[in-house]
Amino acid sequence: MPSVKQAAASDFIDRVFRDPEVRHGLRIFPPDELKKLTLVEEGNKIYLTCAVTQKKRLAKPEEIIRQLAIHRLTDDLDYPVSRLDVEVPIKMGSAYASKKADIVVYRDDRKQTPYLIVEVKKPLRKEGLDQLHSYMNATGVYYGAWINGNDATYQLRIEPNLFEALPRLPAINEDLDDVKTPIKKNQLEAIHDLKEEVQYLEDTVLANAGVSAFEEIFKLVFAKLYDEFHKGDDETMEFRTTTASPQEQYNRLNALFKRASKEWPDIFSDSDKIELTPEALVAVASEFQTKKFFDADLDVIDAAFE
């Protein structure tokens, strides 16, 4: 029987993620969350116990991220483990998807109606979101998340094939109004990879929009810079999505763009407006609403617009 070795979770995790071929990371998980995992070494392999199935699993990078995501769902958002399942087959039309959903949260303990889907593992944003969106469309689920350890995005399905980014997932007994709370300037996050976000928007939301993706994205960045410039740290940002209708949100964000154009007149004319449909505008604006553009790393912004 192989000997079992125990050590601090961080020591085992360092060994797993040190492999140069590992394309995942753990940037979004602070040290106190890593301590929630129990890992052991048997022979030359590292294992952990799944919090949902209580079965021993090989501690691959994607499995570590999945277990950390499960702890967030149960510890931070209060979903009972009895409503969670892992590696769930997803029916796509008359057949099943080739890959199973990583984590599914159900509406109740009977586990008949999916409520929320979480995909981990995919290191690239577009790959991960494409897979997540296909599962959300197939099941009719409104809420989803993609997490790769270095990045996370939370999604709301607003209509088939159109998704909005959320600041976070709803906790148990919360609704969309609870999630879409006002965002203060001091809550904005630094931009890590704007290039990948812009590429994703160009390939999905704006692919068939019939407008210049660059121009429309730049208009929104322009409006957001204006909003950040005029807000104090404790003030609420105007550049955000709400539970109002897409048309009402278009009117508000387009008015913000018009005010920016009037104050900084050398870039856009008085006749310029946001040309996106209200639904597409909400989807694009949602991707930027939690990001800090003013005083951001110019290299990051440069790379996105190059």
Side-chain angles (χ1 to χ4, degrees):
M1 185 173 181
S3 62
V4 177
K5 298 178 183 178
Q6 293 192 336
S10 58
D11 292 339
F12 284 136
I13 289 171
D14 284 346
R15 284 172 54 187
V16 172
F17 279 82
R18 199 176 294 144
D19 186 332
E21 293 187 9
V22 172
R23 299 168 69 193
H24 306 71
L26 292 170
R27 183 171 58 205
I28 66 171
F29 295 106
D32 61 314
E33 291 190 50
L34 302 182
K35 292 177 183 177
K36 295 178 179 180
L37 302 182
T38 301
L39 296 95
V40 298
E41 184 176 10
E42 296 184 14
N44 293 318
K45 294 183 178 180
I46 300 172
Y47 296 89
L48 50 65
T49 300
C50 177
V52 173
T53 65
Q54 295 304 309
K55 293 181 179 179
K56 184 172 68 175
R57 306 182 73 96
L58 193 62
K60 296 180 179 180
E62 54 265 32
E63 189 59 48
I64 289 173
I65 295 168
R66 172 159 49 191
Q67 295 305 317
L68 290 168
I70 288 170
H71 280 292
R72 283 197 173 180
L73 290 167
T74 57
D75 300 348
D76 299 346
L77 302 183
D78 295 327
Y79 291 104
V81 174
S82 56
R83 293 191 189 180
L84 273 64
D85 208 351
V86 297
E87 296 186 344
V88 178
I90 300 295
K91 195 164 187 179
M92 314 277 285
S94 60
Y96 283 91
S98 59
K99 295 183 179 179
K100 298 175 181 178
D102 290 314
I103 307 169
V104 174
V105 179
Y106 292 87
R107 291 189 178 275
D108 54 42
D109 290 354
R110 292 175 296 174
K111 295 184 178 179
Q112 293 181 339
T113 307
Y115 176 68
L116 190 156
I117 294 176
V118 179
E119 272 300 291
V120 300
K121 300 185 294 191
K122 291 286 187 183
L124 298 178
R125 179 188 183 88
K126 187 177 185 306
E127 290 179 6
L129 286 178
D130 282 351
Q131 188 165 314
L132 173 65
H133 291 165
S134 68
Y135 292 166
M136 293 173 71
N137 278 327
T139 58
V141 164
Y142 284 103
Y143 297 107
W146 165 73
I147 301 172
N148 79 342
N150 280 333
D151 193 12
T153 183
Y154 311 106
Q155 301 281 291
L156 171 70
R157 186 174 64 88
I158 48 182
E159 60 181 58
N161 301 313
L162 192 58
F163 298 82
E164 177 183 346
L166 294 174
R168 62 176 178 86
L169 291 174
I172 195 168
N173 299 325
E174 282 190 332
D175 58 24
L176 197 55
D177 284 319
D178 297 306
V179 174
K180 288 192 169 188
T181 54
I183 302 169
K184 292 185 178 181
K185 184 176 177 179
N186 58 17
Q187 294 175 313
L188 297 177
E189 306 163 353
I191 302 169
H192 292 298
D193 194 345
L194 181 61
K195 179 179 179 180
E196 194 173 0
E197 286 191 33
V198 169
Q199 187 67 59
Y200 162 73
L201 291 169
E202 288 182 336
D203 292 344
T204 55
V205 179
L206 303 176
N208 299 304
V211 297
S212 166
F214 174 84
E215 286 188 17
E216 296 310 308
I217 288 174
F218 185 70
K219 288 174 186 175
L220 292 183
V221 172
F222 187 73
K224 191 170 193 316
L225 283 167
Y226 171 84
D227 192 30
E228 290 182 31
F229 181 75
H230 283 279
K231 293 290 191 297
D233 284 347
D234 289 322
E235 289 187 282
T236 298
M237 303 307 297
E238 203 171 333
F239 191 101
R240 71 179 187 95
T241 62
T242 67
T243 54
S245 71
Q247 184 61 55
E248 290 175 287
Q249 295 190 70
Y250 173 90
N251 294 342
R252 176 173 52 81
L253 291 170
N254 190 56
L256 180 66
F257 167 70
K258 288 285 192 180
R259 296 207 307 273
S261 300
K262 188 173 182 180
E263 182 158 333
W264 300 331
D266 295 332
I267 300 175
F268 294 101
S269 69
D270 290 342
S271 61
D272 282 323
K273 64 178 182 178
I274 295 172
E275 301 288 349
L276 297 172
T277 66
E279 292 78 10
L281 170 58
V282 169
V284 176
S286 71
E287 292 286 340
F288 296 154
Q289 63 182 342
T290 60
K291 303 296 190 296
K292 184 178 181 181
F293 283 79
F294 207 81
D295 293 331
D297 185 339
L298 291 179
D299 289 339
V300 173
I301 296 178
D302 248 8
F305 284 103
E306 193 165 283

